[in-house]
Amino acid sequence: MRRPVIAGNWKMYKTQEETRAFFAAFKPLVPATPDCDVIVAPPFTSLAAAAAAAHGSSITIAAQNAYWEREGAFTGEISVRMIADAGGKAVLIGHSERRQFFGETDETVLKKTKAALAAGLTPIVCIGEKLAEYQAGKTQHVCETQFLAGSNSLTPEEFSRILLAYEPVWAIGTGHTATPEIATAVHKFLRSCAAARFSESLAASLRILYGGSVKPDNIKGLMAQEELDGVLVGGASLDPKSFASIVKDWPR
Ligand code: 13P
């Protein structure tokens, strides 16, 4: 009942020309009407090029970050309105790399989420524990804290429009994917947090993606888990063939 989502986060990779080359190769490799939502998140400078290249397909373009103010003296920042203007329909918020390297907090995640929702963008809110937290058995505590603070003050209607991405930091870019069982346990836990905070029915329709070293060769094990509603792919989304094979292998 939950439509799967396969999202690619390009991080700080690809110029405009490389973006156009990606879509020229990727589009013919995926079905015109795939059984899942396909999202690509290029860097800001390639957003418009990606939106133009994806035009006429069912691929959604997302930004990787946003600022919550409408406009103003905020050097280096990009507003949700600018993202929409460039053709973006969704935005990653609170990615662990932003939390780790750029001072993102649960409070800024909430502000960005609300701004994105107000602009009609789909926020893809990212949460996940660090290696030391995982080893100390604090996964649930960290995920619950990030989830509650990041969704605090959202109305049920607003909450129904977000996507949640569970990305254990120790699995990102390391080649150490969480096992399907580990990811499933956290997704179940997050769904129970959503039920407690909002309602059973909103929790049941919440789409939760897994991210962290998702590759064409481990996608089948992940997709076998009912609790996983899709994936957020980093490195393997840069290559049109590998990302297309993840898209094609997902539908159950
Ligand atoms: P990798 O797939 O490269 O581990 O990156 C995951 C990620 O951070 C997606 O947002």
Side-chain angles (χ1 to χ4, degrees), residues 7-11 92 95-97 126 165 167-169 171-176 210-215 231-238:
N9 172 11
W10 284 358
K11 309 193 178 183
L92 298 177
H95 190 279
S96 63
E97 285 150 17
C126 306
E167 298 203 297
V169 178
I172 295 178
T174 58
H176 301 300
Y210 166 77
S213 297
V214 175
K215 308 282 176 210
V231 282
L232 181 51
V233 187
S237 71
L238 293 169

Side-chain angles (χ1 to χ4, degrees), residues 38-86:
V38 178
I39 301 177
V40 174
F44 286 131
T45 46
S46 291
L47 264 183
H55 187 74
S57 76
S58 59
I59 303 163
T60 298
I61 303 303
Q64 299 173 16
N65 183 31
Y67 193 60
W68 56 84
E69 293 289 351
R70 181 186 153 87
E71 59 189 10
F74 302 107
T75 302
E77 292 297 326
I78 305 283
S79 72
V80 286
R81 197 166 139 253
M82 291 165 181
I83 291 167
D85 178 56

Side-chain angles (χ1 to χ4, degrees), residues 144-221:
E144 182 174 24
T145 304
Q146 291 181 352
F147 170 78
L148 289 176
S151 64
N152 184 22
S153 84
L154 292 189
T155 65
E157 190 280 327
E158 287 173 329
F159 183 70
S160 73
R161 290 192 280 135
I162 76 163
L163 297 175
L164 192 62
Y166 168 57
E167 298 203 297
V169 178
W170 48 270
I172 295 178
T174 58
H176 301 300
T177 327
T179 62
E181 292 73 25
I182 292 175
T184 294
V186 179
H187 283 217
K188 269 196 180 140
F189 173 72
L190 286 169
R191 213 174 285 291
S192 74
C193 295
R197 165 76 180 81
F198 292 96
S199 68
E200 287 287 348
S201 75
L202 275 180
S205 53
L206 172 67
R207 292 185 290 174
I208 309 178
L209 318 186
Y210 166 77
S213 297
V214 175
K215 308 282 176 210
D217 62 6
N218 59 28
I219 186 70
K220 286 199 165 135

